[in-house]
Amino acid sequence: MSETPAAATPAPSDKPKKAEKVAKPPKPEDKPFEAFIHEELIPALRKGLQDHNITPAVLDLRQGERPVVGGTCWMVHGELPPGRRFWLCFSEASITSSKTIALADPGTDASLLESFLIDEKRMTLALLQSRLLQRLNGQKWLGGN
């Protein structure tokens, strides 16, 4: 009986490995609330304002009394020259919580609290930044338009 050599089949360890999945970095929006605001949103807002040649006097996250209606909330507070102020308020420590915005011209208190991004299903850094800058531009705070 003559034996024919079996076809050389590669050993399991010789087979090429499938491309290993590279772990995607987490989305900025997946960060805890305070980290997202401090590390992502505030720097993005600062850059967006600087693109309009505006350097905010104040741009920070604070927990305090909601303008106009009261009640404690988290808010991104900004002061722009010459004394214009805004508050982007979050009802909870979450970027997906309900949001309101209040604005005040120099020498005045905020007198109106508006809903902010109420119809959005997904909240992203780009959306928060662009819509806040759009709202400030609507007040003509970012230059002549």
Side-chain angles (χ1 to χ4, degrees):
M1 235 193 218
S2 70
E3 290 187 33
T4 58
T9 57
S13 61
D14 294 342
K15 289 183 181 178
K17 293 182 180 180
K18 290 184 180 179
E20 292 182 25
K21 290 187 178 182
V22 177
K24 291 182 181 179
K27 295 177 185 174
E29 297 81 8
D30 293 336
K31 290 183 177 182
F33 177 74
E34 290 183 60
F36 172 81
I37 299 295
H38 286 295
E39 298 169 12
E40 304 292 339
L41 183 58
I42 288 176
L45 290 174
R46 191 174 303 280
K47 181 182 181 326
L49 290 166
Q50 288 172 343
D51 289 348
H52 290 278
N53 297 316
I54 297 171
T55 301
V58 174
L59 191 55
D60 62 16
L61 174 67
R62 51 180 73 168
Q63 191 172 25
E65 190 76 13
R66 183 186 329 265
V68 184
V69 297
T72 301
C73 71
W74 284 98
M75 62 190 105
V76 174
H77 173 248
E79 292 184 20
L80 310 178
R84 297 170 170 150
R85 294 169 293 145
F86 69 87
W87 299 263
L88 174 58
C89 305
F90 296 82
S91 63
E92 299 172 19
S94 168
I95 64 168
T96 58
S97 68
S98 61
K99 290 167 276 311
T100 54
I101 187 168
L103 306 162
D105 281 313
T108 66
D109 290 330
S111 60
L112 179 65
L113 191 68
E114 303 172 7
S115 296
F116 188 75
L117 293 174
I118 58 173
D119 293 331
E120 302 302 327
K121 301 289 184 230
R122 272 191 33 152
M123 199 54 50
T124 65
L125 172 62
L127 184 63
L128 280 165
Q129 179 212 23
S130 68
R131 293 291 170 81
L132 180 55
L133 293 174
Q134 183 180 47
R135 182 64 186 90
L136 297 176
N137 193 47
Q139 289 295 118
K140 299 188 181 346
W141 286 8
L142 302 184
N145 46 342

